[in-house]
Amino acid sequence: MSEGIAQMNIEEQIQRTANLLLDEVRLFYEMLSKVPDGQQKAMQSYSKIFGVKNAVEESKHRTMEYIVRVGPSLMERDLYIDLLNYIEETSQDIDAAAYRLATLIARNVNIGPSFHGLLTRITEKAIASLTHFLEGLRMISVNVKIAIENAITISKIEEEVDELYRDLELQLFDKKADDLVYLMLMKDITDRLEDAVDLMKSAADDMRYIAIQRT
């Protein structure tokens, strides 16, 4: 198999894995925007996210097996592996944030409009970041310049999320410690979402390096 065909197949498989991750983040966004009523519905919403997370991991492992079989001499081999690892870690962060959100809902905890708004905005940024990642990956063998532009946009989104994260963190610190479980879970949800966007920035950097090699 020629190197070009191997590259194309690997990149298509990475795109499929990233599309599953995008589905997972959208399910989290839906869970956040339409807060389920009651413990059972909250856990049902989470179970969908957990199922997609498992699909991301399976897709990642299939692609890794393909890389091991056909790509030992590929120049981008290590970057491809890094991309897959970043996608999997992002998926795990979203899954963890969703489980904690479901736990809060199951406890009938009122998240509060300010916190809810900030979490929603961060999740929207995560969706935007993934959308640009998929577009950049799709264009990497078609138009290198557009691929690089998408990677740069993801870096800017990560900076915007950092600002939202600091705002939310400050609000949590200002909140009275009358419910430590709420504070701990909200802080962990926020951390996981911020970590997810950081990972997508790292993935975008690797995508950019792959694109630069083709200039």
Side-chain angles (χ1 to χ4, degrees):
M1 181 181 296
S2 71
E3 182 173 304
I5 294 174
Q7 289 171 332
M8 182 176 65
N9 289 338
I10 291 168
E11 287 162 17
E12 286 178 353
Q13 290 183 47
I14 293 173
Q15 286 179 57
R16 283 196 290 271
T17 309
N19 264 313
L20 286 169
L21 174 58
L22 181 57
D23 290 341
E24 182 183 353
V25 180
R26 284 173 172 161
L27 282 171
F28 178 82
Y29 182 73
E30 180 180 334
M31 184 181 182
L32 190 59
S33 59
K34 300 177 182 177
V35 177
D37 182 19
Q39 180 177 0
Q40 183 177 359
K41 289 186 178 179
M43 288 306 169
Q44 286 174 349
S45 294
Y46 166 68
S47 67
K48 294 178 184 178
I49 293 170
F50 180 73
V52 179
K53 188 266 295 185
N54 287 340
V56 169
E57 292 175 349
E58 291 171 7
S59 180
K60 177 245 182 171
H61 290 308
R62 285 196 300 270
T63 308
M64 290 284 282
E65 290 171 4
Y66 181 82
I67 292 172
V68 169
R69 288 199 306 270
V70 306
S73 62
L74 285 178
M75 184 168 56
E76 300 96 340
R77 179 178 183 274
D78 290 341
L79 292 173
Y80 287 144
I81 291 171
D82 284 345
L83 283 178
L84 288 164
N85 285 331
Y86 289 137
I87 291 170
E88 181 183 38
E89 290 171 31
T90 303
S91 175
Q92 291 168 349
D93 276 331
I94 297 300
D95 174 76
Y99 180 76
R100 284 149 182 78
L101 179 61
T103 301
L104 279 176
I105 295 168
R107 285 168 53 88
N108 294 316
V109 174
N110 182 10
I111 297 174
S114 181
F115 293 134
H116 186 275
L118 285 168
L119 286 176
T120 299
R121 289 174 65 191
I122 291 173
T123 307
E124 288 170 347
K125 296 290 185 184
I127 291 172
S129 182
L130 264 168
T131 302
H132 282 289
F133 176 73
L134 281 162
E135 176 64 12
L137 199 58
R138 188 178 68 84
M139 298 300 294
I140 204 167
S141 296
V142 179
N143 189 319
V144 171
K145 181 181 177 182
I146 293 177
I148 293 173
E149 286 173 354
N150 277 278
I152 293 170
T153 299
I154 292 169
S155 294
K156 293 177 180 177
I157 291 172
E158 189 266 342
E159 292 173 0
E160 294 168 1
V161 169
D162 281 346
E163 293 181 11
L164 293 170
Y165 172 78
R166 286 191 290 269
D167 191 5
L168 203 156
E169 194 174 42
L170 286 172
Q171 289 191 37
L172 283 175
F173 289 150
D174 289 339
K175 186 175 175 62
K176 293 181 180 179
D178 52 353
D179 188 344
L180 288 177
V181 173
Y182 170 83
L183 290 176
M184 290 171 61
L185 289 175
M186 280 295 294
K187 179 66 166 62
D188 205 12
I189 291 169
T190 307
D191 288 347
R192 296 286 186 162
L193 291 178
E194 198 261 348
D195 286 346
V197 177
D198 283 348
L199 286 165
M200 287 313 304
K201 194 264 184 185
S202 297
D205 288 343
D206 280 355
M207 179 177 70
R208 186 177 182 179
Y209 300 148
I210 293 171
I212 289 171
Q213 289 176 355
R214 297 183 185 179
T215 56

